[in-house]
Amino acid sequence: MEDFRRTYLRLCKEGGVDPQESVLAQLQETRGAAAGSRLDLRGHSLSVDTCAVLGRVLHKDTLFTELALSDCMLTEEGAKLLLNGLCANTTVKVLDLKGNNLRSTGAEALGKLLVRNKTLCRLVLEWNALGMWEEAFSVFCEGLATNACLTQLDLRNNQINHQGASELCLALKRNSTLQELDVRWNNIGLLGGRSFLEALQQNRTLTHLEMAGNNIPSDTLKALEQAMDHNSDRQSTVRESRSRTQVLSKEIQILKEEKGRQVWSCWEIDFSSMTTSIHVGQLQEALNERKSVVNSLTAKFQMTEAALAMSEQKNHNLGELLTRVKTEKDEQRERQSRERKKEQEDSALREGKLLREINSMSETNVQLKNKLEKMESRCKSQQDQIFELKQELTNSTAELKLRLAQAEERLEMEKKRSKQSLEDMNNLRQKEVDHVNRHLEESQRALQDRILKLEGQRIQLEEELSRAKAACVTERAQAEEEQGKVRVQVRLEEQQRVSGLEEKLRGLRQSRDESQSHCSQQKQTIAELQARSGQQSIETDGLRRRIEELQQELSGKDQEKVAEVSRVRVELQEQMGHLQAERTAQGGLKEKIAALEREMKVLASNHREATLDKESEISSLFEKLRLREAEIQRMREDEAQRASFLQNAILTYVQGSPLHYSPKK
């Protein structure tokens, strides 16, 4: 320990690095505790320079057999320098690198360590991130494949996915020394579990595998456990066979030694001058000993024969089990085929129903789109009519203004031409004209206000129509039972609306004709005013009457327009109600379609999972059968070899003894 400390201080001094006090304190504690073979630096944050110096010290160190570096906050460069120093170490057997967040560079350095180091037996890499970089993890797996000394590996919480699991399984297929592997709390999944099953078909040394918390199905975990049990049984049988062969080799060696001793004693007796009685006694003792040995060998031979009989009985029982398993497999296959056929038929029927429903829904959607287009065209036509009415109103007001201006000019000319006697009449006429102008201006203002109100109402109606259109576009659904009723109602309403619109058009045409007739009448009155300039009093009375009639007509037109606008508003509200009903129906159909699609997806996923589970079960059963047959064959071969080996040993011993003593007799 003191040599290690001195070497650490010397290398720090040579490299111009300040020795880390926590490392020195831990070395001092280790020396005081006389731990000797364990270097514990857990929880000490090691810098890059300290890792470089420790790697150089451990490069030639022969003292420590266990190195604990968990939670040391190693950087990528520091871990690389430390692991490069351990590549040539020949004493460290246990390395703990838990919780150091090793990534790509650390994984590559670990792969090099596993390739070069020949003494490391246990490696702890819990709480790192080796599986995040596929290329670096493949380098680590390549090093594990070529390693011939590691027996325990801990890879918990390393973010290993199914691709990393496949790389690890390729390494396990080539590795022949690893016995314990812990990959809990990763993200291996179903594909990774199958990769492990394939790897365990070739790997015969792995006896302990932990895979909890990896989202692996229960049947795959059971198959892995069975493979582990099979490997452990194989290892136990191998150990037993090795122990038996060692015992038999020892017995044979003892027999050979006894035989040599007896031969040597016989030769000594021949060269000596001992009496024949002594020879006979010794030979009798040797024969008795040989008889006892032969009896013991015969007893062992009988035991082996009994064991062979038991193994044959076991083989027979296993054969019966295999036949039963085969029959069960055939029954399961038939059941599975029947279930698959039923599921396929049900899925085909469901798909046909769904296709029919989808076609009907598409047809209803097309019809609804056509209805929406018709409604939009109607709204546009109504807007055009409103615009035409506005233009007619503006034209009529402009004509009225022009006529009034012409009448005023003519009145002024007539006032100038008239005599002073008619000044009072002119004043009265001027007052009446002013009054008429005021009334006209008030009527124009009222008309403008009404037009603005109508425009505001039109804008509101357009906004409501746009909202209805957006709602209809976003939500389309309708129940199949209400389609016929809705179609009949829509047709009746369309007919009613068409008839109403035709009536409105007729009324508008009549109003237009009336306005034209009124305009012609006004022209005639203006001509009469020009012709009857002498009869100003009579003309003023006629003008008053005509102005009153015009006001009444304008008020009537306003009332008609208000009624028409109210009717249009009522019709639009009814259309909005119908569109909302259609929207709700479309929403219900959408929900039905979504539910049917979900059912289809669930059925497809269940079918796939069932087929995968059954395929995995069938493959596992085939694998069990193959493994059982291979075990039976190996047991038969081993028992036959043992029996032949014992028979040959007994025969050689029995036949060899009289040959050596024949000349002495």
Side-chain angles (χ1 to χ4, degrees), residues 631-660:
E631 282 183 357
I632 291 164
Q633 188 66 27
R634 287 172 186 169
M635 290 173 70
R636 287 178 180 174
E637 291 177 357
D638 292 338
E639 295 297 333
Q641 288 178 0
R642 290 173 188 170
S644 62
F645 186 78
L646 288 171
Q647 287 178 358
N648 292 327
I650 292 165
L651 290 172
T652 52
Y653 179 75
V654 172
Q655 291 176 1
S657 59
L659 290 173
H660 288 289

mmCIF file of all heavy atoms in Angstrom, residues 631-660:
data_model
loop_
_atom_site.group_PDB
_atom_site.id
_atom_site.type_symbol
_atom_site.label_atom_id
_atom_site.label_comp_id
_atom_site.label_asym_id
_atom_site.label_seq_id
_atom_site.Cartn_x
_atom_site.Cartn_y
_atom_site.Cartn_z
ATOM 1 N N GLU A 631 -30.558 -33.218 -25.208
ATOM 2 C CA GLU A 631 -30.148 -33.677 -23.879
ATOM 3 C C GLU A 631 -30.210 -35.201 -23.784
ATOM 4 O O GLU A 631 -29.313 -35.845 -23.234
ATOM 5 C CB GLU A 631 -31.059 -33.053 -22.834
ATOM 6 C CG GLU A 631 -30.726 -31.600 -22.530
ATOM 7 C CD GLU A 631 -31.612 -31.044 -21.444
ATOM 8 O OE1 GLU A 631 -32.503 -31.792 -20.992
ATOM 9 O OE2 GLU A 631 -31.409 -29.883 -21.059
ATOM 10 N N ILE A 632 -31.319 -35.742 -24.302
ATOM 11 C CA ILE A 632 -31.459 -37.210 -24.248
ATOM 12 C C ILE A 632 -30.333 -37.879 -25.024
ATOM 13 O O ILE A 632 -29.718 -38.865 -24.569
ATOM 14 C CB ILE A 632 -32.838 -37.607 -24.802
ATOM 15 C CG1 ILE A 632 -33.942 -37.140 -23.839
ATOM 16 C CG2 ILE A 632 -32.932 -39.113 -25.006
ATOM 17 C CD1 ILE A 632 -35.330 -37.137 -24.448
ATOM 18 N N GLN A 633 -30.039 -37.324 -26.210
ATOM 19 C CA GLN A 633 -28.967 -37.909 -27.015
ATOM 20 C C GLN A 633 -27.628 -37.798 -26.300
ATOM 21 O O GLN A 633 -26.826 -38.751 -26.284
ATOM 22 C CB GLN A 633 -28.923 -37.205 -28.375
ATOM 23 C CG GLN A 633 -27.987 -37.854 -29.381
ATOM 24 C CD GLN A 633 -28.445 -39.233 -29.789
ATOM 25 O OE1 GLN A 633 -29.633 -39.533 -29.758
ATOM 26 N NE2 GLN A 633 -27.512 -40.113 -30.128
ATOM 27 N N ARG A 634 -27.380 -36.628 -25.690
ATOM 28 C CA ARG A 634 -26.112 -36.461 -24.978
ATOM 29 C C ARG A 634 -26.014 -37.369 -23.762
ATOM 30 O O ARG A 634 -24.960 -37.947 -23.492
ATOM 31 C CB ARG A 634 -25.986 -35.006 -24.529
ATOM 32 C CG ARG A 634 -25.698 -34.056 -25.669
ATOM 33 C CD ARG A 634 -25.775 -32.639 -25.207
ATOM 34 N NE ARG A 634 -25.635 -31.691 -26.306
ATOM 35 C CZ ARG A 634 -25.871 -30.398 -26.218
ATOM 36 N NH1 ARG A 634 -26.247 -29.876 -25.062
ATOM 37 N NH2 ARG A 634 -25.720 -29.609 -27.268
ATOM 38 N N MET A 635 -27.125 -37.495 -23.030
ATOM 39 C CA MET A 635 -27.109 -38.398 -21.878
ATOM 40 C C MET A 635 -26.848 -39.834 -22.304
ATOM 41 O O MET A 635 -26.089 -40.570 -21.652
ATOM 42 C CB MET A 635 -28.441 -38.293 -21.142
ATOM 43 C CG MET A 635 -28.633 -36.944 -20.413
ATOM 44 S SD MET A 635 -30.267 -36.732 -19.710
ATOM 45 C CE MET A 635 -30.185 -37.933 -18.387
ATOM 46 N N ARG A 636 -27.470 -40.240 -23.410
ATOM 47 C CA ARG A 636 -27.220 -41.606 -23.903
ATOM 48 C C ARG A 636 -25.760 -41.799 -24.278
ATOM 49 O O ARG A 636 -25.125 -42.804 -23.925
ATOM 50 C CB ARG A 636 -28.114 -41.870 -25.115
ATOM 51 C CG ARG A 636 -29.576 -42.075 -24.758
ATOM 52 C CD ARG A 636 -30.417 -42.279 -26.010
ATOM 53 N NE ARG A 636 -31.813 -42.473 -25.687
ATOM 54 C CZ ARG A 636 -32.780 -42.554 -26.598
ATOM 55 N NH1 ARG A 636 -32.471 -42.467 -27.904
ATOM 56 N NH2 ARG A 636 -34.040 -42.720 -26.218
ATOM 57 N N GLU A 637 -25.230 -40.785 -24.997
ATOM 58 C CA GLU A 637 -23.826 -40.905 -25.395
ATOM 59 C C GLU A 637 -22.899 -40.919 -24.175
ATOM 60 O O GLU A 637 -21.951 -41.715 -24.108
ATOM 61 C CB GLU A 637 -23.470 -39.735 -26.314
ATOM 62 C CG GLU A 637 -24.153 -39.813 -27.666
ATOM 63 C CD GLU A 637 -23.846 -38.596 -28.524
ATOM 64 O OE1 GLU A 637 -23.155 -37.697 -27.995
ATOM 65 O OE2 GLU A 637 -24.293 -38.548 -29.687
ATOM 66 N N ASP A 638 -23.186 -40.039 -23.195
ATOM 67 C CA ASP A 638 -22.346 -40.014 -21.985
ATOM 68 C C ASP A 638 -22.414 -41.336 -21.221
ATOM 69 O O ASP A 638 -21.381 -41.872 -20.785
ATOM 70 C CB ASP A 638 -22.805 -38.868 -21.072
ATOM 71 C CG ASP A 638 -22.526 -37.523 -21.679
ATOM 72 O OD1 ASP A 638 -21.632 -37.447 -22.557
ATOM 73 O OD2 ASP A 638 -23.193 -36.539 -21.289
ATOM 74 N N GLU A 639 -23.630 -41.864 -21.056
ATOM 75 C CA GLU A 639 -23.771 -43.138 -20.335
ATOM 76 C C GLU A 639 -23.091 -44.274 -21.093
ATOM 77 O O GLU A 639 -22.448 -45.151 -20.500
ATOM 78 C CB GLU A 639 -25.262 -43.440 -20.126
ATOM 79 C CG GLU A 639 -25.985 -42.447 -19.227
ATOM 80 C CD GLU A 639 -25.434 -42.457 -17.827
ATOM 81 O OE1 GLU A 639 -24.898 -43.494 -17.400
ATOM 82 O OE2 GLU A 639 -25.545 -41.410 -17.158
ATOM 83 N N ALA A 640 -23.239 -44.260 -22.435
ATOM 84 C CA ALA A 640 -22.582 -45.309 -23.220
ATOM 85 C C ALA A 640 -21.061 -45.206 -23.107
ATOM 86 O O ALA A 640 -20.358 -46.225 -22.950
ATOM 87 C CB ALA A 640 -23.015 -45.210 -24.682
ATOM 88 N N GLN A 641 -20.544 -43.970 -23.163
ATOM 89 C CA GLN A 641 -19.095 -43.793 -22.999
ATOM 90 C C GLN A 641 -18.628 -44.237 -21.632
ATOM 91 O O GLN A 641 -17.586 -44.906 -21.486
ATOM 92 C CB GLN A 641 -18.745 -42.319 -23.229
ATOM 93 C CG GLN A 641 -18.846 -41.891 -24.683
ATOM 94 C CD GLN A 641 -18.536 -40.427 -24.871
ATOM 95 O OE1 GLN A 641 -18.247 -39.738 -23.892
ATOM 96 N NE2 GLN A 641 -18.592 -39.962 -26.108
ATOM 97 N N ARG A 642 -19.400 -43.870 -20.607
ATOM 98 C CA ARG A 642 -19.004 -44.294 -19.261
ATOM 99 C C ARG A 642 -19.008 -45.816 -19.118
ATOM 100 O O ARG A 642 -18.077 -46.408 -18.545
ATOM 101 C CB ARG A 642 -19.959 -43.678 -18.238
ATOM 102 C CG ARG A 642 -19.813 -42.174 -18.084
ATOM 103 C CD ARG A 642 -20.887 -41.636 -17.200
ATOM 104 N NE ARG A 642 -20.888 -40.184 -17.181
ATOM 105 C CZ ARG A 642 -21.834 -39.424 -16.642
ATOM 106 N NH1 ARG A 642 -22.883 -40.004 -16.062
ATOM 107 N NH2 ARG A 642 -21.750 -38.102 -16.672
ATOM 108 N N ALA A 643 -20.069 -46.441 -19.628
ATOM 109 C CA ALA A 643 -20.160 -47.901 -19.526
ATOM 110 C C ALA A 643 -19.013 -48.570 -20.277
ATOM 111 O O ALA A 643 -18.370 -49.505 -19.765
ATOM 112 C CB ALA A 643 -21.502 -48.373 -20.076
ATOM 113 N N SER A 644 -18.750 -48.064 -21.500
ATOM 114 C CA SER A 644 -17.642 -48.662 -22.265
ATOM 115 C C SER A 644 -16.304 -48.419 -21.578
ATOM 116 O O SER A 644 -15.435 -49.300 -21.544
ATOM 117 C CB SER A 644 -17.628 -48.077 -23.675
ATOM 118 O OG SER A 644 -17.396 -46.684 -23.609
ATOM 119 N N PHE A 645 -16.187 -47.206 -20.986
ATOM 120 C CA PHE A 645 -14.946 -46.890 -20.283
ATOM 121 C C PHE A 645 -14.744 -47.806 -19.073
ATOM 122 O O PHE A 645 -13.653 -48.360 -18.851
ATOM 123 C CB PHE A 645 -14.981 -45.423 -19.838
ATOM 124 C CG PHE A 645 -13.701 -44.949 -19.229
ATOM 125 C CD1 PHE A 645 -12.611 -44.624 -20.018
ATOM 126 C CD2 PHE A 645 -13.579 -44.850 -17.858
ATOM 127 C CE1 PHE A 645 -11.445 -44.201 -19.452
ATOM 128 C CE2 PHE A 645 -12.408 -44.412 -17.302
ATOM 129 C CZ PHE A 645 -11.330 -44.083 -18.081
ATOM 130 N N LEU A 646 -15.804 -48.054 -18.304
ATOM 131 C CA LEU A 646 -15.705 -48.957 -17.150
ATOM 132 C C LEU A 646 -15.438 -50.394 -17.581
ATOM 133 O O LEU A 646 -14.624 -51.118 -16.971
ATOM 134 C CB LEU A 646 -16.993 -48.870 -16.339
ATOM 135 C CG LEU A 646 -17.206 -47.578 -15.539
ATOM 136 C CD1 LEU A 646 -18.611 -47.548 -14.967
ATOM 137 C CD2 LEU A 646 -16.196 -47.485 -14.417
ATOM 138 N N GLN A 647 -16.129 -50.822 -18.644
ATOM 139 C CA GLN A 647 -15.903 -52.189 -19.119
ATOM 140 C C GLN A 647 -14.466 -52.386 -19.590
ATOM 141 O O GLN A 647 -13.814 -53.389 -19.269
ATOM 142 C CB GLN A 647 -16.874 -52.490 -20.247
ATOM 143 C CG GLN A 647 -18.317 -52.696 -19.774
ATOM 144 C CD GLN A 647 -19.257 -52.954 -20.913
ATOM 145 O OE1 GLN A 647 -18.846 -52.941 -22.065
ATOM 146 N NE2 GLN A 647 -20.532 -53.189 -20.582
ATOM 147 N N ASN A 648 -13.965 -51.404 -20.336
ATOM 148 C CA ASN A 648 -12.586 -51.524 -20.806
ATOM 149 C C ASN A 648 -11.604 -51.523 -19.646
ATOM 150 O O ASN A 648 -10.623 -52.291 -19.633
ATOM 151 C CB ASN A 648 -12.265 -50.366 -21.748
ATOM 152 C CG ASN A 648 -13.031 -50.451 -23.045
ATOM 153 O OD1 ASN A 648 -13.298 -51.555 -23.531
ATOM 154 N ND2 ASN A 648 -13.405 -49.319 -23.602
ATOM 155 N N ALA A 649 -11.886 -50.645 -18.650
ATOM 156 C CA ALA A 649 -10.984 -50.596 -17.499
ATOM 157 C C ALA A 649 -10.988 -51.914 -16.740
ATOM 158 O O ALA A 649 -9.936 -52.451 -16.345
ATOM 159 C CB ALA A 649 -11.398 -49.455 -16.578
ATOM 160 N N ILE A 650 -12.214 -52.460 -16.527
ATOM 161 C CA ILE A 650 -12.312 -53.737 -15.794
ATOM 162 C C ILE A 650 -11.641 -54.850 -16.575
ATOM 163 O O ILE A 650 -10.890 -55.692 -16.034
ATOM 164 C CB ILE A 650 -13.780 -54.048 -15.503
ATOM 165 C CG1 ILE A 650 -14.333 -53.030 -14.493
ATOM 166 C CG2 ILE A 650 -13.954 -55.456 -14.966
ATOM 167 C CD1 ILE A 650 -15.831 -53.010 -14.414
ATOM 168 N N LEU A 651 -11.914 -54.895 -17.891
ATOM 169 C CA LEU A 651 -11.327 -55.965 -18.710
ATOM 170 C C LEU A 651 -9.808 -55.874 -18.739
ATOM 171 O O LEU A 651 -9.100 -56.891 -18.634
ATOM 172 C CB LEU A 651 -11.894 -55.890 -20.126
ATOM 173 C CG LEU A 651 -13.384 -56.287 -20.264
ATOM 174 C CD1 LEU A 651 -13.875 -55.987 -21.666
ATOM 175 C CD2 LEU A 651 -13.567 -57.774 -19.955
ATOM 176 N N THR A 652 -9.324 -54.614 -18.908
ATOM 177 C CA THR A 652 -7.854 -54.478 -18.934
ATOM 178 C C THR A 652 -7.227 -54.866 -17.601
ATOM 179 O O THR A 652 -6.165 -55.508 -17.556
ATOM 180 C CB THR A 652 -7.493 -53.024 -19.260
ATOM 181 O OG1 THR A 652 -8.187 -52.152 -18.363
ATOM 182 C CG2 THR A 652 -7.864 -52.668 -20.680
ATOM 183 N N TYR A 653 -7.922 -54.526 -16.517
ATOM 184 C CA TYR A 653 -7.363 -54.883 -15.216
ATOM 185 C C TYR A 653 -7.423 -56.391 -14.992
ATOM 186 O O TYR A 653 -6.468 -57.008 -14.529
ATOM 187 C CB TYR A 653 -8.143 -54.153 -14.120
ATOM 188 C CG TYR A 653 -7.651 -54.495 -12.732
ATOM 189 C CD1 TYR A 653 -6.455 -53.964 -12.272
ATOM 190 C CD2 TYR A 653 -8.375 -55.355 -11.932
ATOM 191 C CE1 TYR A 653 -6.005 -54.285 -11.020
ATOM 192 C CE2 TYR A 653 -7.925 -55.676 -10.682
ATOM 193 C CZ TYR A 653 -6.722 -55.138 -10.204
ATOM 194 O OH TYR A 653 -6.279 -55.461 -8.964
ATOM 195 N N VAL A 654 -8.577 -56.985 -15.297
ATOM 196 C CA VAL A 654 -8.743 -58.427 -15.066
ATOM 197 C C VAL A 654 -7.827 -59.222 -15.971
ATOM 198 O O VAL A 654 -7.215 -60.223 -15.570
ATOM 199 C CB VAL A 654 -10.211 -58.820 -15.265
ATOM 200 C CG1 VAL A 654 -10.388 -60.325 -15.219
ATOM 201 C CG2 VAL A 654 -11.071 -58.164 -14.196
ATOM 202 N N GLN A 655 -7.713 -58.784 -17.245
ATOM 203 C CA GLN A 655 -6.887 -59.525 -18.189
ATOM 204 C C GLN A 655 -5.404 -59.292 -17.939
ATOM 205 O O GLN A 655 -4.582 -60.132 -18.247
ATOM 206 C CB GLN A 655 -7.241 -59.104 -19.618
ATOM 207 C CG GLN A 655 -8.637 -59.577 -20.040
ATOM 208 C CD GLN A 655 -9.013 -59.083 -21.419
ATOM 209 O OE1 GLN A 655 -8.207 -58.402 -22.046
ATOM 210 N NE2 GLN A 655 -10.214 -59.436 -21.854
ATOM 211 N N GLY A 656 -5.058 -58.125 -17.410
ATOM 212 C CA GLY A 656 -3.635 -57.819 -17.218
ATOM 213 C C GLY A 656 -3.019 -58.533 -16.038
ATOM 214 O O GLY A 656 -1.829 -58.847 -16.034
ATOM 215 N N SER A 657 -3.778 -58.829 -14.994
ATOM 216 C CA SER A 657 -3.189 -59.428 -13.792
ATOM 217 C C SER A 657 -2.654 -60.833 -14.006
ATOM 218 O O SER A 657 -1.549 -61.151 -13.590
ATOM 219 C CB SER A 657 -4.218 -59.400 -12.665
ATOM 220 O OG SER A 657 -5.375 -60.107 -13.042
ATOM 221 N N PRO A 658 -3.329 -61.784 -14.634
ATOM 222 C CA PRO A 658 -2.748 -63.127 -14.800
ATOM 223 C C PRO A 658 -1.575 -63.150 -15.758
ATOM 224 O O PRO A 658 -0.706 -64.000 -15.655
ATOM 225 C CB PRO A 658 -3.914 -63.955 -15.320
ATOM 226 C CG PRO A 658 -4.831 -62.976 -15.943
ATOM 227 C CD PRO A 658 -4.694 -61.745 -15.149
ATOM 228 N N LEU A 659 -1.537 -62.213 -16.679
ATOM 229 C CA LEU A 659 -0.410 -62.227 -17.611
ATOM 230 C C LEU A 659 0.888 -61.941 -16.888
ATOM 231 O O LEU A 659 1.933 -62.513 -17.194
ATOM 232 C CB LEU A 659 -0.653 -61.206 -18.719
ATOM 233 C CG LEU A 659 -1.781 -61.557 -19.719
ATOM 234 C CD1 LEU A 659 -2.036 -60.389 -20.646
ATOM 235 C CD2 LEU A 659 -1.412 -62.788 -20.514
ATOM 236 N N HIS A 660 0.858 -61.042 -15.923
ATOM 237 C CA HIS A 660 2.088 -60.719 -15.199
ATOM 238 C C HIS A 660 2.517 -61.835 -14.257
ATOM 239 O O HIS A 660 3.699 -62.046 -14.038
ATOM 240 C CB HIS A 660 1.888 -59.432 -14.393
ATOM 241 C CG HIS A 660 1.838 -58.222 -15.268
ATOM 242 N ND1 HIS A 660 2.933 -57.736 -15.904
ATOM 243 C CD2 HIS A 660 0.773 -57.435 -15.619
ATOM 244 C CE1 HIS A 660 2.596 -56.669 -16.615
ATOM 245 N NE2 HIS A 660 1.272 -56.476 -16.446
#
